[in-house]
Amino acid sequence: MAHLAHYREAHPLVFVVTHWINLVCMILLILSGIIIHYPVIPGIMGLCRGLHIFCGIVLFANCLARVIMAFFVKTAPTGGTRKQVPDYKTWLPQADNRHQGIQWVKYYLFLKKDHPLGAKLGVPQKISYLLIPILIVLMFYTGLALWAPTMNLGIFAAGTTLVGGLMNMRIIHYFLMFVFIIFMFIHVYLANVEGFAPTALMFIRKEHGGLVYDPDRHVIVGEDDLGHKE
């Protein structure tokens, strides 16, 4: 086994739920957004607009809840261990990330066969995950700046004026949708580049054997096959 074991402590159930909410909302936002911009299916524009607004609000609230919970819920700081730390620490630079940035990039680009063993999130993953809350906030803001009940409120009207009008705001919102799509593809790739065990753990809570890691000493201390040899 060349990878760390995948334990449920890496993704507590509450974060599995927020992840599912993110996924469903992002997919519905993308699909409804495309139909709103390209109304090729007659008779469902009202439904798509309502769904788009609802999912946008849920996505923003879910993102806010996820960020707040990161300071109160504990997760494993790396694969291969059941030890836990406050989750926000896994989003920040860790000792196990040190000197791994270039190594991770080489691995993702297939220039390096074995991936670095260490923190739960590799350096590129941390960067992309730290950017997604910012993207969600921007998407939410530009969406409310285009929504009739809120577009004339001071904070949104000021933003619309700053970017040069509603058409420019609409273009920015539309552009951010493609950023969302690109992020989803990158996220799927980074999460599954070593296999589908991380996805199985996140979505169906299925643990997977592998190397056991001591996050305090930063060394491999054994191997756990979880009772079934590969």
Side-chain angles (χ1 to χ4, degrees):
M1 296 179 184
H3 56 77
L4 297 173
H6 299 286
Y7 296 132
R8 292 189 182 98
E9 283 77 3
H11 303 296
L13 183 58
V14 64
F15 290 158
V16 172
V17 172
T18 57
H19 194 273
W20 269 104
I21 293 173
N22 273 344
L23 175 63
V24 172
C25 285
M26 285 184 180
I27 291 175
L28 291 177
L29 279 167
I30 290 170
L31 292 177
S32 60
I34 291 174
I35 294 174
I36 290 170
H37 283 281
Y38 301 101
V40 295
I41 305 177
I44 65 169
M45 283 299 292
L47 174 64
C48 286
R49 290 184 184 278
L51 181 64
H52 198 75
I53 293 166
F54 174 76
C55 288
I57 293 173
V58 172
L59 181 65
F60 175 76
N62 190 60
C63 175
L64 185 61
R66 177 62 178 85
V67 171
I68 293 173
M69 285 189 291
F71 292 90
F72 300 98
V73 179
K74 291 186 176 182
T75 62
T78 177
T81 183
R82 295 189 186 277
K83 295 181 179 179
Q84 294 180 304
V85 299
D87 182 64
Y88 76 89
K89 291 185 177 181
T90 69
W91 292 62
L92 302 175
Q94 298 170 243
D96 288 315
N97 292 128
R98 193 167 296 140
H99 308 307
Q100 287 192 350
I102 299 300
Q103 299 304 315
W104 274 111
V105 171
K106 288 182 178 180
Y107 176 70
Y108 289 137
L109 295 177
F110 301 101
L111 299 176
K112 184 177 185 296
K113 183 177 181 180
D114 297 320
H115 65 82
L117 298 178
K120 179 172 67 176
L121 301 177
V123 177
Q125 284 180 301
K126 284 184 188 286
I127 294 173
S128 64
Y129 293 176
L130 286 171
L131 289 177
I132 194 62
I134 298 174
L135 177 59
I136 290 174
V137 170
L138 287 175
M139 199 71 171
F140 186 66
Y141 176 86
T142 57
L144 291 182
L146 295 170
W147 190 34
T150 55
M151 64 167 48
N152 293 319
L153 296 179
I155 186 173
F156 302 115
T160 300
T161 300
L162 181 65
V163 300
L166 282 174
M167 181 55 69
N168 288 342
M169 185 65 79
R170 191 177 302 277
I171 291 172
I172 292 171
H173 189 73
Y174 186 61
F175 169 77
L176 289 175
M177 179 184 73
F178 286 99
V179 176
F180 256 117
I181 295 173
I182 293 171
F183 168 79
M184 290 182 68
F185 279 108
I186 292 175
H187 174 57
V188 170
Y189 171 67
L190 295 183
N192 296 283
V193 67
E194 65 172 288
F196 293 105
T199 296
L201 177 63
M202 171 59 78
F203 285 106
I204 60 175
R205 308 282 285 157
K206 181 181 179 181
E207 295 187 333
H208 193 280
L211 301 175
V212 179
Y213 188 81
D214 186 334
D216 298 319
R217 293 187 291 148
H218 312 295
V219 293
I220 302 297
V221 294
E223 187 172 313
D224 183 4
D225 63 15
L226 293 176
H228 50 83
K229 298 289 185 180
E230 292 193 70

